[in-house]
């Protein structure tokens, strides 16, 4: 009880920031979910839908290194407020275009790129802000809490978005997004104080030199670099999966919007369960072993089950097994980075991490959408009744995506096994 009271007292600012930002995240996630369904209904193309995420992540690849410099040199609170303000104009624009009946896919591509740019700048500032307002001893606990809120949002997003779409339309989803943004913005503006321990002006590096500091840090710390590279390879497989996942469930026999919402909700329950586990567990003997083993477990089950599944319960089982240990992995990854990287360098290093770790995501979304549309769906369309691929993955639209899941399962497993043998990762255990 005493420990709980101490946490509530010492982490008051974080809890307020975390709760309101999570609420805003729910609104944003519902908007993204609704727009994915809207975009698929326009073209029925995996690639067209994947381009939404490609536009969102492209700024990470191009500008993240410089975003870290901005984060370390400028006021964190102002960065977050400005980025939120610009991002919400995108939601307002979509709402106006919908109301006038002029919304097109290319509008969403541009607005997603703008939102991606704002996230590129805001994310390292937000990460450093958490380190500023929270004592070091709570890093793993809050890692579990943050993924708890993400998991809760994952449960609520498909349920609420599907309900809103069915009974009120996408306009109400966008209005709810604006409401949640307002709550988070007001809280951050008036009730959160983020200490700034920036380097004095006379000691600051030039902009270009400062941007290169994160790169130099990773060059000197090979274990952190290899860990980021490991996650980049995982993200390649995961983004290919994300490109094919909604397409398969929306087009497959026994699929549709309700099936997609149900499987996403179960995935959220898995993440919620995993985040509770992460929040309750203490520091493990080996964080690296937890990261490697949880990712191997996820890659070994979910893609295979989705590939061979034909019904919603089976797809739900795959989603649950694939995501239950991801919060535990992320909590330990977050703790390693916060404990290992000096706080005064975190903005710049996190920004370089974003570039290296996320550059594979737009590539993965493009490959996933392209391969499903142009390779795997045509291959399955040519299969004869009774053939081996027909028996394994079925027929009709969506069967090519199922075959695709089967193939990328092996890619994910190989990645985990390969990096589990990386000695530089295990050397991190000696230094934390």
């Amino acid at each position: 009880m005493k420990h709980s009271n101490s946490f509530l007292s010492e982490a008051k600012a974080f809890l307020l920031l975390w709760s309101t930002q999570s609420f805003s995240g729910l609104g944003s996630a519902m908007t993204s979910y609704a727009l994915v369904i809207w975009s698929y209904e326009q073209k029925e193309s995996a690639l067209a839908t994947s381009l939404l995420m490609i536009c969102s992540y492209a700024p990470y690849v191009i500008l993240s290194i410089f975003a870290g410099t901005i984060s370390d040199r400028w006021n964190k609170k102002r960065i977050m407020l400005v980025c939120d303000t610009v991002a919400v104009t995108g939601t307002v624009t979509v709402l106006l275009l919908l109301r006038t009946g002029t919304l097109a896919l290319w509008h969403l591509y541009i607005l997603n790129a703008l939102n991606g740019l704002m996230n590129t700048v805001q994310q390292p500032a937000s990460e450093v802000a958490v380190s500023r307002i929270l004592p070091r001893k709570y890093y793993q606990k809050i890692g579990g809490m943050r993924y708890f809120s993400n998991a809760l949002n994952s449960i609520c997003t498909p349920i609420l978005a599907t309900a809103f779409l069915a009974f009120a339309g996408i306009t109400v989803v966008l209005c709810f997004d604006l409401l949640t943004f307002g709550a988070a913005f007001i809280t951050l503006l008036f009730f959160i104080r983020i200490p700034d321990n920036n380097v004095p002006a006379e000691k600051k590096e030039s902009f270009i030199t400062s941007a290169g500091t994160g790169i130099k840090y990773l060059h000197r710390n090979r274990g952190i670099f290899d860990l980021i590279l490991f996650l980049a390879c995982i993200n390649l497989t995961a983004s290919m999966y994300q490109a094919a996942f909604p397409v398969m469930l929306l087009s497959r026999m026994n699929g549709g919007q309700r099936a997609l919402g149900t499987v996403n909700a179960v995935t959220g329950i898995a993440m919620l369960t995993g985040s509770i586990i992460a929040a309750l567990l203490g520091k493990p003997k080996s964080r690296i072993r937890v990261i490697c083993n949880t990712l191997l477990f996820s890659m070994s089950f979910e893609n295979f089950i989705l590939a061979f599944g034909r019904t919603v319960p089976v797809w739900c089982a795959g989603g649950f097994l694939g995501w239950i240990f991801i919060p535990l992995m992320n909590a330990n990854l977050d703790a390693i980075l916060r404990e290992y990287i000096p706080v005064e360098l975190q903005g710049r290093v996190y920004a370089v991490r974003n570039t290296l770790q996320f550059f594979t995501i737009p590539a993965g979304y493009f490959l996933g959408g392209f391969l499903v549309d142009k390779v795997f769906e045509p291959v399955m369309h040519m299969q004869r009744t009774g053939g081996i691929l027909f028996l394994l993955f079925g027929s009709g639209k969506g069967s090519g995506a199922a075959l695709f899941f089967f193939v990328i399962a092996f890619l994910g497993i190989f990645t985990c096994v390969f990096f589990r043998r990386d000695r530089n990762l295990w050397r991190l255990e000696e230094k934390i």
Side-chain angles (χ1 to χ4, degrees):
M1 186 68 179
K2 183 178 179 180
H3 177 74
S4 298
N5 291 335
S6 175
F7 173 70
L8 292 176
S9 175
E10 295 177 314
K12 181 179 179 181
F14 165 77
L15 292 172
L16 188 58
L17 180 66
W18 165 67
S19 58
T20 53
Q21 292 290 324
S22 298
F23 186 48
S24 179
L26 173 62
S28 299
M30 288 173 59
T31 295
S32 297
Y33 183 90
L35 290 177
V36 165
I37 293 176
W38 183 89
S39 63
Y40 184 73
E41 289 174 346
Q42 306 307 304
K43 297 288 186 180
E44 293 193 352
S45 166
L47 183 57
T49 304
S50 298
L51 283 173
L52 289 173
M53 296 308 299
I54 292 172
C55 291
S56 294
Y57 277 99
Y60 274 91
V61 178
I62 301 170
L63 298 171
S64 274
I65 295 177
F66 300 103
T69 303
I70 294 173
S71 171
D72 282 337
R73 298 180 64 169
W74 293 359
N75 183 278
K76 313 297 180 292
K77 182 173 177 177
R78 290 176 185 171
I79 292 173
M80 295 169 69
L81 290 171
V82 169
C83 290
D84 280 343
T85 301
V86 175
V88 79
T89 60
T91 303
V92 174
T93 301
V94 172
L95 181 59
L96 293 175
L97 290 171
L98 271 172
R99 297 292 292 175
T100 57
T102 56
L103 182 65
L105 270 174
W106 68 268
H107 293 138
L108 297 182
Y109 296 151
I110 293 174
L111 292 173
N112 272 27
L114 178 62
N115 287 338
L117 176 61
M118 292 302 101
N119 288 334
T120 301
V121 177
Q122 185 186 49
Q123 195 271 341
S126 177
E127 293 289 352
V128 177
V130 170
S131 296
R132 296 273 191 229
I133 65 177
L134 194 71
R136 181 188 181 96
K137 60 184 176 181
Y138 296 126
Y139 283 171
Q140 173 152 343
K141 179 183 288 290
I142 63 100
M145 291 174 61
R146 294 169 76 188
Y147 289 104
F148 175 88
S149 62
N150 290 342
L152 192 60
N153 283 354
S154 296
I155 297 171
C156 295
T157 293
I159 296 173
L160 294 177
T162 301
F164 284 7
L165 287 171
F167 295 106
I170 194 172
T171 299
V172 176
V173 176
L174 296 172
C175 290
F176 181 78
D177 189 4
L178 295 176
L179 174 67
T180 60
F181 159 79
F185 186 89
I186 291 172
T187 300
L188 177 59
L189 180 61
F190 294 110
F191 301 105
I192 303 294
R193 179 183 176 274
I194 301 173
D196 253 332
N197 297 325
N198 292 333
V199 179
E202 64 273 11
K203 295 184 178 180
K204 286 181 178 178
E205 305 167 313
S206 69
F207 193 87
I208 298 298
T209 302
S210 182
T213 302
I215 298 176
K216 292 178 181 178
Y217 177 87
L218 292 179
H219 180 72
R220 295 192 303 266
N221 295 271
R222 184 60 188 270
I224 294 294
F225 175 79
D226 285 8
L227 185 60
I228 291 172
L229 186 61
F230 178 24
L231 270 295
C233 294
I234 290 294
N235 282 338
L236 178 66
T237 303
S239 54
M240 288 194 289
Y241 156 89
Q242 292 290 354
F245 178 73
V247 172
M248 187 186 82
L249 290 189
L250 287 172
S251 59
R252 199 88 155 122
M253 185 180 296
N254 299 321
Q257 288 190 27
R258 182 174 297 179
L260 178 62
T262 301
V263 178
N264 276 330
V266 170
T267 297
I269 293 173
M271 294 177 64
L272 182 63
T273 304
S275 64
I276 293 173
I277 294 172
L280 294 178
L281 289 178
K283 180 178 179 180
K285 293 182 179 180
S286 171
R287 294 195 190 278
I288 296 299
R289 181 170 286 107
V290 170
I291 292 171
C292 292
N293 289 349
T294 51
L295 286 173
L296 180 60
F297 181 90
S298 176
M299 293 292 171
S300 298
F301 284 94
E302 182 177 21
N303 287 321
F304 285 128
I305 294 175
L306 290 176
F308 296 120
R310 307 287 179 87
T311 63
V312 172
V314 176
W315 295 328
C316 287
F320 188 88
L321 291 174
W323 288 91
I324 185 171
F325 293 125
I326 295 302
L328 183 61
M329 182 280 295
N330 277 320
N332 281 276
L333 173 65
D334 187 65
I336 286 178
L337 296 178
R338 292 187 189 280
E339 292 173 358
Y340 197 93
I341 303 169
V343 69
E344 65 272 12
L345 293 177
Q346 283 184 7
R348 282 164 284 184
V349 176
Y350 282 170
V352 177
R353 176 200 66 175
N354 289 345
T355 295
L356 297 176
Q357 185 174 322
F358 298 131
F359 87 95
T360 54
I361 291 181
Y365 270 101
F366 176 80
L367 285 173
F370 177 83
L371 290 173
V372 169
D373 280 352
K374 305 300 182 181
V375 179
F376 287 89
E377 287 292 345
V379 165
M380 290 304 300
H381 182 70
M382 294 186 296
Q383 297 303 307
R384 296 180 179 178
T385 303
I388 183 65
L389 294 181
F390 177 91
L391 294 175
L392 289 175
F393 305 109
S395 62
K397 195 168 180 61
S399 59
L403 173 60
F404 183 66
F405 283 134
F406 178 76
V407 172
I408 64 174
F410 291 101
L411 176 62
I413 292 171
F414 172 79
T415 300
C416 294
V417 172
F418 178 83
F419 277 96
R420 203 179 190 281
R421 299 171 61 86
D422 188 330
R423 295 180 181 178
N424 292 315
L425 294 185
W426 297 102
R427 292 193 183 105
L428 287 174
E429 302 283 3
E430 305 169 1
K431 301 178 181 180
I432 297 178

